[in-house]
Amino acid sequence: MFEMLLRELTLIMAQVHDSLMRLNDGFELSLGDKDLHFIIMAALAMVLFFAVHAVFTRLARWSITAVSFIYVFTVMTVLGFAIEIGQRISGTGRMDFGDVVAGLYGVLAFFAAYTIYRLGRLLLRRSFGKGCRSGKKK
């Protein structure tokens, strides 16, 4: 399922790219590849910034851990693709989309284990109360 989602997002980005290129050609704007990257990346960054800021502000009120996870997962996604591109350029490995997916599954698995650990600690604290943690006798 996760692999399908990543593939679909990649296909959507390719379709958006093709549409923007047709618009550029249709309006005869004569914008080069670098010009289009500059404009589109800047516009996308601003839209994404305002959306992410709104979501993260609400999440931070609930749990800074959620914000941290989203940030780490995003960085690891980019790093996964960068590693595969680097393997292709350097010839040190085979560029494989499945490797990116496997790496992200690893991130999710380890975060799930961490979440279970944190929930276990929370449940133990609630079960035994404050008196047992402080080491004081009643």
Side-chain angles (χ1 to χ4, degrees), residues 11 21 26 43 53 76 88-89 94 100 102 108 122:
L11 292 174
M21 292 306 293
H53 183 69
M76 294 310 294
R88 170 81 165 126
I89 291 170
R94 200 177 107 230
V100 175
L108 290 174
L122 179 66

Side-chain angles (χ1 to χ4, degrees), residues 83-102:
I83 289 169
E84 293 305 310
I85 292 168
Q87 285 181 350
R88 170 81 165 126
I89 291 170
S90 68
T92 58
R94 200 177 107 230
M95 188 171 168
D96 185 8
F97 185 72
D99 290 349
V100 175
V101 173

Side-chain angles (χ1 to χ4, degrees), residues 53-107:
H53 183 69
V55 169
F56 279 18
T57 301
R58 294 189 103 198
L59 275 176
R61 290 184 199 141
W62 180 65
S63 169
I64 196 70
T65 303
V67 175
S68 299
F69 169 74
I70 292 169
Y71 177 79
V72 167
F73 191 80
T74 303
V75 169
M76 294 310 294
T77 301
V78 171
L79 183 61
F81 280 105
I83 289 169
E84 293 305 310
I85 292 168
Q87 285 181 350
R88 170 81 165 126
I89 291 170
S90 68
T92 58
R94 200 177 107 230
M95 188 171 168
D96 185 8
F97 185 72
D99 290 349
V100 175
V101 173
L104 293 177
Y105 276 139
V107 171

